[in-house]
Amino acid sequence: MYKVSMVSLGCPKNQVDAEMMLYSLKQAGYEIGVPEAEADAIIINTCGFIEDAKSEAIENIIEAAQYKTDGCCKAVIVTGCLAERYQDDVTAEIPEADVCVGLGSNGNIAEIVRSAIEGRAHNSYGDKCDLNLDGKRILGGMPYTAYLKVADGCDNCCTYCAIPKIRGRMRSRKIEDCIKEAKELAAGGVRELIVVAQDTTAYGSDIYGEPRLTELLRELCKIDGIEWVRTLYTYPERISDELLDLIASEEKLCKYLDIPIQHINGDILKRMNRRGNAETLMALVEKIRSKVPDITLRTTLITGFPGETDEQFSQLDEFVTAARFDRLGCFPYSAEEGTIAAEYPDQIDSQVKFDRAEHIMETQLGIATEKNQQKIGTVQKVLIEGYDDYIKCYFGRSEADAPEIDGKVFFMAHEPLVIGDFVTVQINDVIEYDLLGEQL
């Protein structure tokens, strides 16, 4: 029996692909989840979205290759977005990589791995539309939280983004298939579902003629065992009153929305092939909060987009101060080859892009700290994720916190607790993005 280790990088959508490959490998008789030093093959499931992600992928490939000398490894196999985007260039330019596998060949991963281990390594690229969106998975994270990928690809074609070139046009799954998988996850102990796609608010429009996210969420909330349903990657212009009304009324739906607005200046947004401006986006924020007063709003911003002036950046900073998002990530613009924006002549100096992003995050830290201080004395429902031996307390997440990207709740308990259970915690203090409390 061959042994396989996998490292999955990048976004939750890529993680779902990795989990489906793990299931295929296990079904084919491989031993999975072994330490890299003991593995016959190491799979690096890569992200290729921005330059930092590519650098991280290459570092992991090179580190894995060390086990050809120091361990049992006979093949390093590269899958995911980097593999799809650059194909044969990966093995040509990174000799440490033995095999490159495009997204459309994920379904053949078991045979590809076997061939590589046995000395018959070959790259494989199926049609990206052959990437199976339905299928069983072996969860790579905590067993009580799972991502539910409801679509792949994207039709928005933002000028800075390579995803449509990598993943193709949007392909939604049928509602009944999503519900079937969600029920299987719940039966396996999952208590929090996180709905993801490149644009979840567009879900269903390609197969039903109109978006069906609200209908899907309503059905997911009916599943026994699921206590939280969270939605990421919602597009501002597609956030409907129907969606907001459902979030306000449905107990299982987390009062949480992730809305990557990227910028607020109308001219910059137009160059990004996005819509809106500061006025329309502020009106959206105000409407969401009026309909769902206790909602947590997360957004993502880009600084240093080609042509961004000092004045346009100042407008963005002022908007962040005024909108007071609960959660915010800001990243310097990355010029990605093959995208329209990378060809714009008015590129911004790298240090300027970085300094602007740092400034926005400093602004947001003050806002987030103030908002967290307002939670002192409140009682929060917390999903227990683990125990910190160093500080001798449990930690988890509240409804306001998505995994990996948001803060945590650290709390003292009077009795041993079970990881994956929900508890009520009184908040007594804050440390920047994190809350401190005690179990009630």
Side-chain angles (χ1 to χ4, degrees), residues 142 144 383-388 393-396 409 411 418-420:
M142 296 297 186
Y144 46 79
L383 175 58
I384 308 169
E385 291 190 307
Y387 184 82
D388 191 313
C393 71
Y394 286 91
F395 60 89
V409 181
F411 62 96
V418 177
I419 308 304

Side-chain angles (χ1 to χ4, degrees), residues 196-214:
V196 294
Q198 301 299 339
D199 175 0
T200 53
T201 39
Y203 164 75
S205 56
D206 55 321
I207 55 176
Y208 299 115
E210 61 181 3
R212 292 286 186 91
L213 177 63
T214 303

Side-chain angles (χ1 to χ4, degrees), residues 5-9 14 18 36 42-46 60 64 77 79:
S5 178
M6 178 183 285
V7 177
S8 190
L9 306 171
N14 205 40
E36 291 184 346
I42 301 173
I43 300 173
I44 309 296
N45 190 46
T46 61
N60 275 269
I77 297 158
T79 62

Side-chain angles (χ1 to χ4, degrees), residues 14 53 100 128 140 191 230 237 336 343 345 352 360 363 399 416:
N14 205 40
C100 189
K128 64 187 69 179
R191 308 186 75 180
R230 188 185 303 275
E237 283 71 34
E336 292 303 307
E343 302 301 319
V352 172
I360 292 291
T363 299
E399 185 177 356

